[in-house]
Amino acid sequence: MIFNPKMECMPREDMHKLQSERLCKIVKYCYERVPFYKKKMDRLGLSPDDIKSIDDIVKLPFTTKTDLRDEYPFGLQAVPMSEVRRIHASSGTTGKPVVATYTDHDIEMWSEGVARVMSCANVGKGDVIQVSYGYGLFTGGLGAHDGANKVGAIQLPTSAGNSEKQIMLMQDFGSTVLACTPSYALHLAERIEQSDKVDINNMKLRVGFFGAEPWTEGMRKELESKLHIKAFDIYGLTEMSGPGVGGECEEQNGTHLWEDMFYPEIINPDTLEPCAHGEFGELVFTSLCKEAMPIIRYRTRDLTRLIYEPCKCGRTAVRMDKILGRSDDMLIVRGVNVFPSTIEAILTEFPVFTPQYFITVDRKNNEDMFDLDVELRNEFFSPNPSKQMPFIKPLYDRIVSVVGIKPNIHIKEPNSIARSIGKAKHVNDKRNFHR
Ligand code: DLL
């Protein structure tokens, strides 16, 4: 089902026109209401009248996470506090959180984004959507909740954690949809498998909406087979609203982005120049109709590419390839770039291993060390190291050939790598402490 055919299937020329109108309006709005944007544009000698179409977007300055932190908490806000209806924030790893504020219109638009994603999977009236993203300042819980409301589904606001109860309710209330991070979904799936009280065959789950962190095709297969569902990717970020900036349709050949609301660009993160169509680079978004905290050319640090070819589902909305990772998650080990998601992708090629992993990077005797903890599935595990060797060698060889680094692989006991109820932490880079 297509939630908003007019927007999702608009001919590209019409979309270009709509984006142009919206960009001109939002730039003027920002210039007049947010001193931060006025200052930035004045410094470049740019006036809102210089922006005549969406193609002029390249003239505008970028906004970065540092800008958002410098303007903490409400420096980028374009409306008086009396018009704000909600405040969310993303924690980040250091310093002050990134803040997002919303008017009624913004919450409406945000829920429509999520509703479009849910409709992509034919989820709607009668579906019980178990929202196991965290409710709170994190946008996952309330974002998915409002989207579920908008498609007319039954909301089951379990939030994240308390896995045993989650599973009990999933069975007793007949949840048909699970919305949570892919790592938490995997944890729930493992717990269901291990439980003698519940049986996945007695559950009604049919769809999963997984996002908030990178996940691979291998992980999709694992979740689909363990939970008996079709797993859909949902993408978003606090700065643009939260989940529902885009999502996968049933073709599952990329994430459709709702470009009538969020204009995507791909830039080369080093030169800051636009990349050629189809090239990988950093994703940049401009919110085209947000009221409370509109953002111009926000550098997400997410690395991906855009796909403009028409999709069989009928939507014309551009698609984004699976996110490789964030540029700040990329590890440089002995001069080689490594994304944790590449390790996940390799690991899931080997059916003897679970998709759980943890990377520790350290520096010893002036050399980078890359340690990788993995788990064998129960039926293959033996504490005897000589019995582990035959499993380690093929994984080691594959990592060397794909990534180009020599990992120290450690096989851990089943269920010993820490599980996460939200975004998983896969890396400890100890070199940061030595610097
Ligand atoms: O994670 C919003 C969200 C909640 C999206 C629930 C999907 C589902 P933040 O905490 O601000 O917001 O983190 C945003 O998470 O820039 C990406 O790096 C990453 N991310 C989000 N969705 C995906 C995804 C929420 N589907 C940051 N695939 C983004 C890969 C994702 N990475």
Side-chain angles (χ1 to χ4, degrees), residues 133 138-140 211-214 233-238 243 302 326 423:
Y133 285 113
F138 176 51
T139 54
E213 62 184 3
D233 202 342
I234 176 166
Y235 171 80
L237 61 162
T238 312
D302 290 332
R326 298 168 64 84
K423 297 182 192 244

Side-chain angles (χ1 to χ4, degrees), residues 16 31-32 39 78 81 109-110 146 151 166 196 203 259 284 291 300 303 348 358 385 403 417 431:
H16 185 269
Y31 188 85
E32 286 169 356
K39 241 185 272 161
M81 265 336 243
M109 189 193 81
W110 176 18
D146 288 347
V151 293
Q166 296 264 0
D196 41 21
M203 299 215 185
E259 353 162 39
V284 169
E291 284 179 349
T300 63
L303 301 173
T348 54
F358 194 81
V403 186
I417 295 176
R431 296 171 305 178

Side-chain angles (χ1 to χ4, degrees), residues 65 90-91 133 138-141 180 209-215 233-239 242-244 255 300-302 320 322-323 325-326 329 423:
K65 204 175 263 283
S90 77
S91 53
Y133 285 113
F138 176 51
T139 54
C180 62
F209 290 115
F210 304 130
E213 62 184 3
W215 56 300
D233 202 342
I234 176 166
Y235 171 80
L237 61 162
T238 312
E239 295 85 334
T255 294
T300 63
R301 306 194 214 175
D302 290 332
M320 166 182 93
K322 264 218 174 291
I323 293 190
R326 298 168 64 84
D329 288 344
K423 297 182 192 244

Side-chain angles (χ1 to χ4, degrees), residues 19 34 57 79 103 116 168 223 240 263 290 306-307 351:
Q19 288 168 334
V34 186
I57 200 165
V79 296
T103 62
R116 289 186 196 178
M168 182 185 88
L223 292 173
M240 285 303 120
Y263 182 76
K290 246 159 54 116
L306 295 179
I307 307 160

